Amino acid sequence: MKTDLLLITPPFTQLNTPYPGTVYLKGFLNTLSYSTFQADLGLDVILQLFSRKGLIDLFEFIQNQEIELGDNSKRMVMLSDEYIATIDPVIRFLQGKNSTLADSIIQDGYLPEASRFAEVEDLEWAFGSMSFQDKAKHLATLYLEDLSDLIIEAVDENFGFSRYAERLGRSANSFDELYQELQKDPTYIDKITLSELEKLIQKTNPKMIGFSVPFPGNLYSAFRCAQYIKTNYPEIVVDMGGGFPNTELRSLSDPRVFEFFDFITLDDGEAPTEQLIKYINQEVEISDLKRTFTLQNHQVSYINNQTIRDYKFSEVGTPDYTDIKLDQYISVIEVVNPMHRLWSDGRWNKLTMAHGCYWGKCTFCDISLDYIKIYEPIAAKQIVDRMEELIETTQNTGFHFVDEAAPPALMREVALEILRRKLTVTWWTNIRFEKSFTYDLCRLLKASGCIAVSGGLEVASDRLLKLIDKGVTVEQVAVVNRNFTEAGIMVHAYLMYGFPTQTKQETIDSLEMVRQMFELGILQSGFWHQFAMTAHSPVGLNPEKYQVINHSTELGTFANNDMIHEEKSGLIHEQFSYGLKKSLFNYMHGVGFELSLNEWFDFKVPRTSIQPNYIETVLNNETFLTHKPTQKVVWLGGKPQIEFVTKTKKGKIFENAVLQFHTKQDYLEIIVDKEIGEWLVDFVQYLKENPKAVSYQQMKQSFEEKIQTDFEIFIYSKQAEKLKETVLLIV
C-alpha cells in the first residue's frame, strides 16, 4: 500500500487508551479523501517489551551487563523464569481477555513479588471497597511497576510507562542536551521502538510521517524516530505537531532541529497538514504553508499564509480510531481510588464539545494561545451524532470529553440529546466549578451517563482565586461539589500551591478547605501541582504585576514556555510539596481527617485560620433558588398511573387524584386535587411526546390555563417537591 500520511504517537502516553491527536487528524483527513494510517507506537513498544520473548531478551541483556544491581533488582533477576512464565497471561488479563486469571493473581504464589508489593499490606484495608477483578488489576499493576523499576535501574534510566526521557523535554531552553543524547547509540528501548517503526514504514510505504507529540515525555522518542527515518528513508517527509510544539516551540530558531524534521506545525493541525500534503504533492508553493516552521537557506523560517483559512470545529469530521489496536490496550489500577482510576483503567473514546475555553481568563493558563483563546462550541446534535458514529466503529460506549472546560449549557443540551435518543453511554469531562451546576442539572447529567467530572479548584482561597481570575469562590465550589456528589457523580479537583504572593497561611488554609471537603464526602479525588509560570500566561507576560522575579529573560533557541521565576517574598513553595501530597493521599482513602495539619509537614507551619466546620456551614446556609422562565423541564420517570378518590369533610365533597410514579430504582405516590392530577398526567404525556425540551415558562402557562391558579403555589408545594426529588428536573 502507498499512504499519503502515516500518523504516529511516539512512546509513551497511556497504557489504557489512545491519545486523541492522530485520531482527530485522521477523522479530518477522511473528509478530504487522503489515505492515512495511524499507530500508537508506545503501545507497540510496551507489548513487545512486556511479552514472553521480550522478557527473555530483557533478562539476557541485564545478565550480560557488568553493573552492580541493588537487592530488589537482584531478586527479580533471580526470579526471571517466574516473570517470563507469567507475563503473557498477565498482559492478556489486563487487556480484558483473560478474566479468570484474577483468581490466580489474588491467591498468594502466582505473581512474583518485588518491592512494589510492600505496599499491599498497607492497602489491604482499601481492598474491601474494590471488586475482585479490580484487586487483581491492582496487583498486576504492581507487578508491571516492579518490572519498570528493574528496567530503570538496569537498562534505561529514562524509562516510564507514560513518559520517556521526560527531563530532556522539560524546560529545554536549549537543544544542546537533547542533541547530544541523540548522537549516542540507541538505547535498549530505542532499539525496540525503531524496530516497531520499521514495521510500520514497511507496511504503509508513506510519503510523509507526522508525529503527534503531546508531552515532554514523547519528545525524545519522536526525535529518535525522525533520526532513523532521515538516515534510512531520506525521501520520506517528516513533520511534528501536537501539544508540545504548540506551547514550547513557538519561537524555535535552532537549525539543528531540522536535521530530524522537515516541518513543525503549530496549533490546530487540520489546515497546516492539508497544506503540507498539497505541497508534497506539488499542488501548492512553499509560501502557501500554514503555521509551519521549516529550514530555508540554512535559517529557520516560519511560514503562515494568512489567506489559508482554518477549518471550523464543526467541519473537522468525526475522530477515527481505525488502524489503532483498540483491543490491545492495557487497563491498570495504580491508585485505589474510584475517580483516579479513570485515567488508567478502561478505554475511552475521546471527543470535544467545544474548541478552546469559554472562560479564558485564568492568569496561570496559556490563554494567549489559540487552542485556549479561540472558543468555538458545536451543536449538541452534532456531538451526539459523533458519539453514535464512534459507538458503531469502536463498539465502545465510554467517552472522555477532553475539553479545556465543558460549557454547562452545552453539557445540558448534550445530556438531553442523549436521553432523547435513549443512548446507553458512560462519560466524563473537565469543568469549571461554576454555579450553573445546580443539583437538578447534575442529576440530568447523571441520567445521561455522566459518572465523573474534574475541575480546577486551584488554591482554595478567595483572595487567590480572585487573583487567578478563576471566576469562582470556595463557597461556590463546595456547593457545586455537593450537587455533583449527591447526584452520584464523582468529583476530582486540580489543586495548586505556590501561586505568586501565596503565603504559608494561605497554603495551610487551602489544605484545611480541602480536608473538610473530603471529610464531608463532597470531593472524591484530587491532585496537587506546584504553580509553573509559562510564557503565554498573564503571569508570564506580566510577572511584575504578580510580585514575581522572572529569571528567564533571554529567549532560548529551542523550547520557550516554562519560565524560571522567584517570589519577591522569598518564600520557597516546594517545601510544602511532600506534606500536601501525603495528606491528600490519606484523605482520598478516607483517613487522617482527625490529624492536625502540622503533622503532615516536617517543618513548622502556621495553624489554620479556617473554622473546622466552615464548609459544613456553607452547605447548610445555601440560599433558596427560584426557577427561571428559560429553564427546561425534564421528566425522568415513566407515565404516571392515576386513580380518583372522593373524600367528605364537614359536609363538603373533595375529589382527589392519587398518582403513582415509577423510576428505575424508585416508587413514589402523591395525592393532589383531581384537576391538578389530570393536568399532570396530560403534561407528562406531552413531555414524552415532544422531542424538544419544554421550558419552565411553558409548563407554568400550561398549568395556569388549565387550573386557573398560581403555578408557583403548586411547584413549591410538598407534593411537587417530592416529584422534583425523584422524577421532575428543572434545568
Side-chain angles (χ1 to χ4, degrees):
M1 63 185 287
K2 183 72 175 176
T3 306
D4 290 315
L5 176 60
L6 169 60
L7 292 164
I8 293 176
T9 305
F12 295 105
T13 49
Q14 288 178 265
L15 294 175
N16 65 307
T17 199
Y19 193 79
T22 66
V23 171
Y24 282 13
L25 195 52
K26 182 177 175 66
F28 164 73
L29 293 171
N30 288 345
T31 68
L32 304 179
S33 301
Y34 286 118
S35 62
T36 60
F37 192 91
Q38 63 181 331
D40 183 346
L41 191 56
L43 175 67
D44 296 338
V45 172
I46 289 292
L47 294 178
Q48 285 297 320
L49 182 59
F50 294 99
S51 66
R52 178 180 175 82
K53 182 183 184 306
L55 289 194
I56 289 172
D57 293 344
L58 178 70
F59 282 112
E60 182 180 344
F61 178 82
I62 292 171
Q63 288 165 346
N64 289 334
Q65 300 298 297
E66 295 181 3
I67 57 172
E68 183 64 29
L69 297 176
D71 290 342
N72 189 59
S73 292
K74 283 180 182 176
R75 170 178 168 76
M76 296 181 69
V77 171
M78 295 295 289
L79 290 169
S80 60
D81 288 347
E82 300 300 327
Y83 282 104
I84 291 166
T86 53
I87 189 64
D88 283 350
V90 168
I91 292 297
R92 285 182 58 78
F93 168 71
L94 291 174
Q95 290 172 330
K97 301 173 182 176
N98 190 15
S99 62
T100 55
L101 191 69
D103 294 272
S104 297
I105 289 174
I106 289 175
Q107 292 170 11
D108 291 339
Y110 178 72
L111 292 178
E113 299 178 6
S115 62
R116 295 285 183 150
F117 283 79
E119 304 169 15
V120 170
E121 287 185 15
D122 296 333
L123 295 175
E124 194 62 42
W125 52 268
F127 285 146
S129 62
M130 297 179 76
S131 74
F132 193 73
Q133 290 285 322
D134 286 349
K135 179 178 178 179
K137 273 188 189 179
H138 181 64
L139 294 174
T141 302
L142 297 179
Y143 162 93
L144 289 182
E145 288 176 338
D146 274 334
L147 286 168
S148 175
D149 291 342
L150 173 66
I151 293 168
I152 291 168
E153 180 180 355
V155 178
D156 190 336
E157 64 180 1
N158 291 317
F159 181 75
F161 281 121
S162 58
R163 57 191 61 85
Y164 185 64
E166 187 177 40
R167 65 177 179 80
L168 295 172
R170 283 203 175 279
S171 304
N173 192 260
S174 166
F175 188 50
D176 289 349
E177 187 179 2
L178 179 54
Y179 189 76
Q180 288 164 13
E181 197 73 22
L182 292 163
Q183 306 314 307
K184 298 177 183 177
D185 291 337
T187 67
Y188 185 88
I189 302 299
D190 288 341
K191 289 176 182 176
I192 298 175
T193 302
L194 299 177
S195 172
E196 293 301 306
L197 173 64
E198 175 64 27
K199 292 177 188 175
L200 285 170
I201 294 173
Q202 290 299 320
K203 179 177 181 178
T204 60
N205 189 22
K207 293 181 185 176
M208 173 171 142
I209 297 179
F211 288 91
S212 175
V213 181
F215 308 119
N218 304 92
L219 187 69
Y220 168 80
S221 287
F223 270 90
R224 184 60 90 179
C225 289
Q227 181 185 53
Y228 177 86
I229 297 164
K230 284 290 145 210
T231 301
N232 296 281
Y233 299 94
E235 73 281 4
I236 296 177
V237 175
V238 188
D239 172 46
M240 173 168 60
F244 183 87
N246 290 350
T247 55
E248 302 282 344
L249 302 184
R250 305 191 76 87
S251 53
L252 176 67
S253 62
D254 194 322
R256 293 176 298 173
V257 170
F258 295 92
E259 294 174 22
F260 305 86
F261 291 95
D262 298 295
F263 301 99
I264 293 176
T265 53
L266 300 183
D267 299 328
D268 295 339
E270 289 82 12
T273 303
E274 180 186 7
Q275 292 305 107
L276 262 183
I277 295 174
K278 286 182 176 179
Y279 174 67
I280 293 165
N281 291 338
Q282 300 181 334
E283 297 170 16
V284 299
E285 300 297 322
I286 196 167
S287 59
D288 292 316
L289 297 182
K290 182 80 172 173
R291 289 193 302 274
T292 301
F293 283 108
T294 191
L295 202 64
Q296 291 183 306
N297 299 320
H298 309 292
Q299 297 289 321
V300 178
S301 297
Y302 181 63
I303 304 169
N304 185 21
N305 190 320
Q306 299 289 347
T307 65
I308 307 298
R309 77 172 187 92
D310 274 304
Y311 286 86
K312 293 181 179 178
F313 189 48
S314 58
E315 299 173 329
V316 298
T318 301
D320 186 351
Y321 284 87
T322 306
D323 313 324
I324 293 181
K325 304 164 186 174
L326 295 178
D327 63 337
Q328 295 189 32
Y329 280 89
I330 301 165
S331 284
V332 295
I333 298 181
E334 301 165 298
V335 178
V336 187
N337 174 281
M339 174 74 208
H340 216 81
R341 62 181 286 186
L342 293 181
W343 280 274
S344 61
D345 183 26
R347 207 197 63 69
W348 304 95
N349 294 323
K350 306 278 187 174
L351 273 179
T352 309
M353 294 190 194
H355 180 285
C357 179
Y358 69 94
W359 180 248
K361 297 178 183 179
C362 297
T363 54
F364 63 83
C365 186
D366 292 335
I367 60 175
S368 64
L369 298 183
D370 286 353
Y371 82 96
I372 299 283
K373 182 173 63 176
I374 298 176
Y375 173 64
E376 187 185 353
I378 57 175
K381 182 181 181 301
Q382 191 172 9
I383 293 169
V384 183
D385 284 346
R386 290 178 178 178
M387 292 175 77
E388 288 197 297
E389 283 185 55
L390 285 172
I391 291 170
E392 180 68 27
T393 57
T394 68
Q395 300 299 301
N396 191 299
T397 59
F399 290 86
H400 180 196
F401 288 98
V402 292
D403 293 65
E404 299 299 322
L410 184 53
M411 289 173 70
R412 179 186 71 171
E413 297 306 311
V414 168
L416 289 170
E417 189 67 21
I418 289 169
L419 292 172
R420 200 173 288 132
R421 300 190 194 189
K422 300 188 185 308
L423 290 184
T424 298
V425 293
T426 304
W427 61 277
W428 57 296
T429 190
N430 194 48
I431 62 160
R432 291 180 62 249
F433 293 116
E434 61 168 80
K435 59 186 178 182
S436 303
F437 290 109
T438 62
Y439 178 52
D440 271 12
L441 177 54
C442 293
R443 290 168 63 206
L444 172 69
L445 299 177
K446 175 68 176 178
S448 73
C450 179
I451 58 167
V453 293
S454 57
L457 169 54
E458 318 308 351
V459 183
S461 154
D462 285 339
R463 181 189 79 84
L464 290 166
L465 286 171
K466 188 174 181 180
L467 190 61
I468 290 171
D469 204 358
K470 192 70 185 177
V472 300
T473 64
V474 175
E475 291 187 6
Q476 185 178 313
V477 172
V479 171
V480 169
N481 283 3
R482 190 272 312 276
N483 291 344
F484 275 114
T485 300
E486 290 190 352
I489 295 173
M490 296 184 292
V491 182
H492 173 89
Y494 297 106
L495 304 164
M496 182 189 294
Y497 64 100
F499 192 79
T501 74
Q502 185 172 350
T503 64
K504 284 185 177 182
Q505 186 68 60
E506 286 171 324
T507 300
I508 297 304
D509 286 350
S510 182
L511 175 58
E512 173 60 15
M513 296 284 203
V514 170
R515 184 197 70 80
Q516 290 185 29
M517 289 188 198
F518 273 101
E519 187 174 30
L520 289 169
I522 62 172
L523 187 57
Q524 290 76 52
S525 177
F527 182 79
W528 286 105
H529 66 276
Q530 188 172 348
F531 167 78
M533 189 166 82
T534 61
H536 308 290
S537 68
V539 178
L541 292 169
N542 190 6
E544 190 66 30
K545 178 181 176 182
Y546 297 90
Q547 310 280 312
V548 169
I549 302 168
N550 174 25
H551 292 300
S552 301
T553 53
E554 292 186 11
L555 205 61
T557 58
F558 188 53
N560 289 288
N561 192 40
D562 286 358
M563 303 172 74
I564 301 169
H565 67 283
E566 177 188 348
E567 291 268 357
K568 284 189 175 180
S569 67
L571 182 59
I572 307 298
H573 294 286
E574 194 167 344
Q575 63 186 319
F576 293 97
S577 179
Y578 181 76
L580 290 173
K581 292 174 182 178
K582 182 179 179 182
S583 59
L584 185 65
F585 180 83
N586 281 271
Y587 297 159
M588 281 199 296
H589 293 92
V591 296
F593 299 122
E594 74 288 351
L595 297 178
S596 172
L597 298 185
N598 61 19
E599 293 195 35
W600 301 114
F601 301 91
D602 56 6
F603 59 96
K604 189 175 181 180
V605 297
R607 290 187 177 186
T608 181
S609 64
I610 307 300
Q611 291 296 313
N613 63 342
Y614 175 77
I615 298 296
E616 186 176 15
T617 302
V618 166
L619 298 179
N620 290 337
N621 293 340
E622 186 187 0
T623 56
F624 177 74
L625 294 175
T626 57
H627 303 304
K628 298 176 182 177
T630 54
Q631 286 184 287
K632 295 185 176 181
V633 180
V634 182
W635 186 263
L636 295 180
K639 185 177 180 181
Q641 300 296 311
I642 186 168
E643 294 180 4
F644 299 106
V645 294
T646 303
K647 287 187 177 181
T648 304
K649 189 174 182 180
K650 295 182 180 181
K652 291 185 177 181
I653 297 174
F654 298 90
E655 284 191 285
N656 289 333
V658 179
L659 294 164
Q660 297 176 338
F661 305 90
H662 289 270
T663 68
K664 289 180 181 179
Q665 293 88 23
D666 219 335
Y667 165 79
L668 172 69
E669 183 176 285
I670 64 170
I671 300 175
V672 294
D673 292 344
K674 179 184 177 184
E675 279 190 325
I676 292 177
E678 290 175 331
W679 168 82
L680 188 56
V681 170
D682 290 342
F683 186 74
V684 168
Q685 185 63 31
Y686 175 72
L687 281 176
K688 287 184 155 298
E689 291 175 354
N690 194 328
K692 293 186 177 179
V694 175
S695 72
Y696 179 79
Q697 179 61 31
Q698 288 173 300
M699 183 183 186
K700 181 176 185 293
Q701 185 177 341
S702 170
F703 179 91
E704 291 178 350
E705 286 176 357
K706 174 80 174 180
I707 309 301
Q708 300 292 307
T709 189
D710 188 356
F711 178 64
E712 306 295 328
I713 296 173
F714 166 71
I715 201 63
Y716 294 113
S717 68
K718 288 183 179 179
Q719 294 95 327
E721 289 299 329
K722 286 183 179 179
L723 291 177
K724 288 189 283 185
E725 287 172 7
T726 51
V727 290
L728 180 65
L729 302 182
I730 301 172
V731 296

